Amino acid sequence: MQTELSKQLGIPYALFGFTPFPAVAAALTRAGGFGVLGAVRYTSPDDLRRDLDWLDAHTGGRPYGLDVVMPAAKAVDGIGEAEIEAMIPARHRAFVRDTLAKHHVPELPDGEASGWRITGWMEQVARSQLDVAFDYPVKLLANALGSPPADVIARACDRGVLTAALAGSAKHARRHADAGIDIVVAQGYEAGGHTGEIATMVLVPEIAEAVAPLPVLAAGGIGSGEQIAAGLALGAQGVWLGSLWLTTTEADLHSRALTRKLLAAGSGDTVRSRALTGKPARQLRTAWTDAWDDPDGPGALPMPLQGLLVAEALSRIQRYEVQPLLGTPVGQIVGRMTSERSVQAVVDDLTRGFEKAVDRINRIAGRA
């Protein structure tokens, strides 16, 4: 499973794995792929530094990357969190309170913080994360929402760090290429998290043609070696996998109930909803997503207001494992995630499936 890009990065397999869990990123890198740690959950530079220290110590000198979120729209850039909080309408706060009360969600214990605050959606926070990241041997910097600013791309280039950006259309991909990005991740509609409206099978060849000769990674709905082979056949130089790692033994979801929901879910049990961040993001369909998508409700706020609005509510739902409301971003590939396995076991399965697919095509083509 070698391509020009995997050879350039010095990895045996062209498998790129996005994950919020350092242990998963490290395990994938050790298994021969390329782990990419998601930074959006880090509200403190010290917390990110701690986990990059750990990642550095557990990857054996092999390469890894970091994924940040620097939205192209900067309507609240430069505004403090308190000022942004003041922009949230009272009607939306009441809707959150009523929804939680309807499902009897307890308050957090006295003195317990609400946990993850989605401030990583703001550029100034992402920049503080980069100040930390560039002190480490990070080999790839990815941005999930548009191209990074020109000065960030230049800063990465000066350090020999490749830059990548996710795209949901050929138009977006050309914009990334014009900005000087090194790698375009063609993320189809099936993917978990923020997605566009074009399916992976259609999107990958469109983007590969649009930005050639830039390398493209196929993403969205990929969870088998056969699908990896298909992505490479469509013009990609590797695959970008995210959801598949959520049920690995190295993942730390902090909720057995959520893991059970993921293992039981089918490919039709996800929905693209603005309920989490304000932008369409594929996630498990729950009573929470249904409430926000109900036309009689107030509707989701734009990013980053929605994320700030629901942060405490999500902490409460997760802490008490309130089943009807409990969810997470995940792609349609969740239907294949039927058992807990180690990252190494997943990689072994992917490489075996890839080899079988290539052998099958060679037989069809009369070359075996």
Side-chain angles (χ1 to χ4, degrees), residues 1-348:
M1 204 186 296
Q2 281 272 305
T3 66
E4 290 182 18
L5 180 59
S6 65
K7 292 175 183 176
Q8 179 183 353
L9 288 167
I11 56 177
Y13 307 127
L15 296 173
F16 295 75
F18 165 81
T19 174
F21 308 117
V24 173
L28 177 57
T29 287
R30 291 196 305 271
F34 192 99
V36 181
L37 179 66
V40 72
R41 66 190 297 167
Y42 294 96
T43 58
S44 162
D46 289 340
D47 289 342
L48 178 59
R49 189 177 299 279
R50 176 203 65 215
D51 281 358
L52 287 177
D53 282 339
W54 187 93
L55 197 58
D56 229 20
H58 290 81
T59 47
R62 297 177 180 178
Y64 61 88
L66 189 73
D67 180 280
V68 298
V69 177
M70 303 181 81
K74 300 177 177 62
V76 297
D77 191 35
I79 303 175
E81 186 175 335
E83 289 86 351
I84 297 174
E85 289 271 11
M87 298 167 63
I88 298 174
R91 181 190 179 200
H92 285 74
R93 293 190 184 281
F95 183 75
V96 171
R97 288 195 300 270
D98 292 345
T99 303
L100 295 177
K102 177 181 177 182
H103 292 275
H104 310 290
V105 182
E107 297 278 353
L108 292 174
D110 290 342
E112 182 172 317
S114 62
W116 181 33
R117 300 287 289 169
I118 311 180
T119 54
W121 306 118
M122 294 183 282
E123 183 175 322
Q124 61 265 36
V125 176
R127 285 184 177 275
S128 71
Q129 295 168 346
L130 294 179
D131 290 338
V132 172
F134 284 135
D135 288 337
Y136 292 82
V138 170
K139 298 301 181 185
L140 175 69
L141 175 66
N143 189 45
L145 293 173
S147 304
D151 67 295
V152 172
I153 295 175
R155 191 177 173 190
C157 182
D158 289 344
R159 288 164 172 76
V161 177
L162 296 180
T163 52
L166 277 64
S169 72
K171 176 182 176 181
H172 294 156
R174 291 189 193 97
R175 197 175 299 157
H176 294 332
D178 291 342
I181 287 294
D182 298 303
I183 302 166
V184 176
V185 181
Q187 185 180 39
Y189 171 85
E190 304 96 323
H194 298 110
T195 74
E197 298 182 352
I198 304 174
T200 303
M201 182 67 73
V202 175
L203 184 66
V204 172
E206 284 188 356
I207 287 183
E209 181 178 349
V211 301
L214 281 185
V216 170
L217 300 178
I222 299 174
S224 72
E226 291 82 358
Q227 290 167 318
I228 293 171
L232 299 188
L234 293 172
Q237 286 200 35
V239 292
W240 178 273
L241 310 175
S243 299
L244 194 62
W245 315 112
L246 288 173
T247 53
T248 58
T249 53
E250 292 89 347
D252 186 12
L253 287 178
H254 298 294
S255 172
R256 293 302 303 168
L258 181 54
T259 298
R260 288 192 293 271
K261 286 189 78 168
L262 287 169
L263 294 174
S267 57
D269 293 327
T270 68
V271 63
R272 284 173 77 243
S273 171
R274 298 177 185 270
L276 180 61
T277 69
K279 285 184 176 290
R282 185 171 296 285
Q283 54 204 280
L284 280 181
R285 182 177 180 179
T286 65
W288 180 258
T289 61
D290 287 346
W292 282 103
D293 295 338
D294 188 333
D296 293 331
L301 295 169
M303 179 185 284
L305 300 182
Q306 181 71 12
L308 292 172
L309 169 66
V310 304
E312 181 177 339
L314 296 179
S315 292
R316 290 165 59 184
I317 292 167
Q318 292 164 5
R319 189 187 200 285
Y320 298 108
E321 298 187 326
V322 183
Q323 288 283 347
L325 303 175
L326 188 63
T328 185
V330 69
Q332 291 179 330
I333 199 63
V334 70
R336 291 187 63 94
M337 297 156 51
T338 57
S339 64
E340 292 183 79
R341 298 179 294 164
S342 69
V343 169
Q344 182 66 64
V346 172
V347 171
D348 290 344

